[in-house]
Structures are given as C-alpha cells and as structure tokens.
C-alpha cells in the first residue's frame, strides 16, 4: 500500500498528475484505477534521467519518535524482507539496463532500527552490480543507537537528517516515544556527522502551521551550526493521520516565510530548497 499523502490533478480525460509531497516526486499516470495500482505500474518519476535510477526502500514503519504530523502511526510493524528487497531492486535495475547511476534510499519509519538489513543489503547491491555507480542514502531522524552511529558510514554514502529546528521547535513537533525531548540526541548526531563528512549530509525540515512563522529563525539556526549543509523545507499537507490543529500549513504563509529564509541562507552561502520550487 502506498502510504504517502497524494495530490491528484487532472491533465486530460485519460491522465492525472499524481504528486507525493513527502517524497517530492510526481508521476503522470492513467486516470483509471486506484492510487496503489497506479503507483505500482508507474516506472518513471518525472525527474527520472536515462542515466539515473532512484529507488527508495521503505524498510519498516517502526519509529522511535511520535511526531505530531505523522501519517504512519497507524501502520503495521512488519519489516521489508531482505529477499524481497533484493528481488525488487534486481528486477528494476534489469529493466533499466542503460542507467549508469543507481541511488538506493533507505526510508521508514526510522531506518536505523533496521541496521541489520542495511549491513547486509548495501554490500550485496554493490557486489551484484559492479558495472553501476551505486550511491546509498538514508533519511533518519538522528535519534540513533550507539551501534547505528558507529557503523553509519559502512552502509550509507549520504545521510539526510529530519530535524525541525532549535530545541523549542524540534520538541514541539518530534518527541520520543516516552514523551521526552529528541533535540539533544538529534543535534548530537548532526554535529558528529558534520564533523566526519560535512559534504555527505543534508537537513530536511517539516514545516507546520505552528512553525511556519519561525522558518527564517530555523534556517539561521542551521546555517550557524552547520555551514554549507543544504536544507530542505517541506510544508505539511492535508493528511487524515496528522493533527490538523498544528499541522496543515497555509501555502501563502509558507511561501512568504520560505522567501525570507532563502534570503538568510544566501547571506550564509547556504543552499535551501523545497519541492514546490525547484
């Protein structure tokens, strides 16, 4: 089942544009059929390149945080079997034989809860397709076990950390399962990874109706502590599983705040982005 919130826009009588804001990806698909069926049948996102194949593995819905805007809290705890992942990736690469570069993205849930999976899958995919340039990436909330932090660079080349800003914003949005603060752990992970490989990390920030007015301050916070690290800002869209009182953002407010943040980032020589302005 495709769990990400979807926006459908008719293009013609036979086609629709299907947009997943949380993935920042769009597909042109047949108008008939269910979103699940259409997603499975869709082979080429709009940003696909003949030399570039971008695959995301949703390994599990398990997570160690409780975020106010989470749309996956209802989901099962089942994990993606390693054999299934190998079959899917092998099949897709075989169907795109001409691509030179393959990006494998570990996603969740929280992927560092599946380090055993990554430690087996990463060497397998590199060994199985030596003719391809393989890049392995991961999106994590930064609240890691000691094991995951120690072995991070053994199974990934790039890390995107989902962190929503200074302590007051981070803990308003993203708390531990026991209700405790997640800021110190996520910030410490950011500092560690930045010290080790500053060019291999980026930041993804989710913006809610409560935090949107603080977006310039959030941007300045990251620019000061992690100079040069790219920042990605995504507004929360309507979701039946999100807390609408705090989550869904008025887009005009988001655009105004984003432009202010963009001006701040330029002063620091930092790049920021959003899937709404490529």
């Amino acid at each position: 089942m495709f769990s990400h919130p979807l926006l459908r826009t008719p293009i013609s009588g036979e086609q629709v544009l299907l947009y997943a804001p949380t993935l920042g990806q769009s597909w042109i698909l047949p108008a008939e059929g269910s979103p699940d069926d259409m997603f499975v049948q869709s082979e080429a996102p709009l940003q696909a390149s003949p030399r570039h194949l971008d695959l995301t593995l949703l390994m599990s819905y398990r997570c160690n945080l409780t975020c106010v805007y989470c749309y996956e809290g209802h989901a099962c705890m089942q994990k993606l079997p390693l054999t299934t992942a190998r079959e899917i990736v092998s099949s897709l690469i075989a169907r795109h034989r001409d691509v030179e570069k393959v990006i494998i993205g570990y996603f969740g849930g929280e992927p560092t809860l599946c380090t055993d999976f990554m430690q087996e899958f990463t060497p397998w995919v590199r060994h199985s397709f030596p003719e391809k340039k393989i890049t392995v990436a991961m999106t994590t909330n930064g609240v890691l076990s000691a094991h995951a932090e120690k072995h991070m660079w053994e199974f990934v080349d790039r890390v995107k950390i989902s962190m929503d800003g200074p302590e007051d914003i981070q803990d308003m949005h993203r708390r531990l399962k026991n209700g405790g603060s997640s800021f110190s752990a996520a910030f410490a992970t950011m500092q560690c990874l930045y010290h080790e490989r500053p060019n291999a990390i980026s930041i993804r920030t989710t913006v809610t109706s409560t935090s949107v007015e603080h977006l310039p301050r959030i941007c300045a916070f990251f620019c000061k502590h992690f100079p040069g690290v790219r920042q990605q800002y995504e507004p929360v869209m309507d979701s039946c599983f999100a807390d609408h009182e705090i989550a869904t953002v008025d887009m005009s407010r988001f655009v105004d705040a984003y432009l202010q943040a963009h001006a701040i980032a330029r002063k620091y020589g930092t790049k920021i982005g959003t899937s709404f302005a490529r």
Side-chain angles (χ1 to χ4, degrees):
M1 179 179 181
F2 190 56
S3 64
H4 294 268
L6 302 174
L7 302 179
R8 294 165 58 94
T9 303
I11 297 177
S12 67
E14 298 180 352
Q15 293 182 319
V16 295
L17 175 68
L18 188 67
Y19 176 54
T22 55
L23 295 179
Q25 293 185 354
S26 302
W27 296 264
I28 293 177
L29 304 170
E32 299 297 325
S34 71
D36 294 345
D37 293 339
M38 290 189 294
F39 178 75
V40 171
Q41 293 171 6
S42 171
E43 296 183 11
L46 294 185
Q47 73 264 36
S49 163
R51 298 183 178 180
H52 176 197
L53 181 62
D54 196 337
L55 307 175
T56 299
L57 297 180
L58 179 56
M59 296 184 294
S60 169
Y61 289 105
R62 294 168 57 216
C63 189
N64 48 11
L65 297 186
T66 54
C67 300
V68 295
Y69 42 71
C70 182
Y71 52 84
E72 292 182 347
H74 66 292
C76 68
M77 295 295 104
Q78 185 176 359
K79 296 169 63 176
L80 174 65
L82 185 63
T83 53
T84 301
R86 288 175 174 174
E87 291 173 3
I88 292 171
V89 170
S90 296
S91 174
L92 288 171
I93 292 179
R95 292 163 67 183
H96 298 79
R97 295 184 183 89
D98 295 334
V99 298
E100 299 175 358
K101 182 179 180 180
V102 177
I103 298 177
I104 305 293
Y106 293 136
F107 198 74
E110 172 49 38
T112 61
L113 298 179
C114 303
T115 53
D116 54 342
F117 179 102
M118 293 185 283
Q119 286 180 311
E120 290 193 51
F121 187 87
T122 297
W124 170 82
V125 73
R126 295 194 193 283
H127 176 76
S128 300
F129 305 98
E131 74 284 4
K132 308 294 185 184
K133 182 180 178 181
I134 304 289
T135 300
V136 183
M138 175 175 65
T139 300
T140 174
N141 59 37
V143 181
L144 311 180
S145 66
H147 176 78
E149 185 171 347
K150 180 179 179 181
H151 297 280
M152 176 79 71
W153 300 117
E154 295 178 12
F155 47 76
V156 296
D157 304 301
R158 298 204 314 250
V159 179
K160 179 180 291 184
I161 298 187
S162 295
M163 189 173 178
D164 289 354
E167 186 170 5
D168 59 324
I169 303 296
Q170 172 76 3
D171 288 342
M172 175 177 63
H173 287 172
R174 307 168 67 85
R175 303 195 72 86
L176 302 177
K177 288 283 190 180
N178 63 8
S181 169
S182 68
F183 175 81
S184 58
F187 188 71
T189 297
M190 278 289 299
Q191 288 180 311
C192 179
L193 298 182
Y194 182 75
H195 175 73
E196 294 173 345
R197 300 189 187 183
N199 296 326
I201 65 172
S202 61
I203 302 169
R204 186 200 187 281
T205 296
T206 301
V207 182
T208 69
S209 58
T210 307
S211 68
V212 63
E213 294 179 0
H214 299 279
L215 204 157
R217 176 166 69 94
I218 295 169
C219 178
F221 171 79
F222 287 132
C223 287
K224 291 176 182 177
H225 290 282
F226 308 105
V229 173
R230 180 176 175 83
Q231 304 169 29
Q232 185 80 10
Y233 292 94
E234 299 300 341
V236 171
M237 309 299 292
D238 285 326
S239 168
C240 59
F241 298 102
D243 180 347
H244 288 265
E245 294 299 319
I246 194 174
T248 305
V249 180
D250 177 85
M251 286 307 299
S252 62
R253 293 174 65 197
F254 174 78
V255 171
D256 288 342
Y258 176 80
L259 292 176
Q260 295 177 49
H262 191 273
I264 291 173
R266 289 187 64 183
K267 292 180 180 179
Y268 281 93
T270 296
K271 292 183 179 181
I272 70 171
T274 174
S275 59
F276 288 89
R278 295 201 176 278

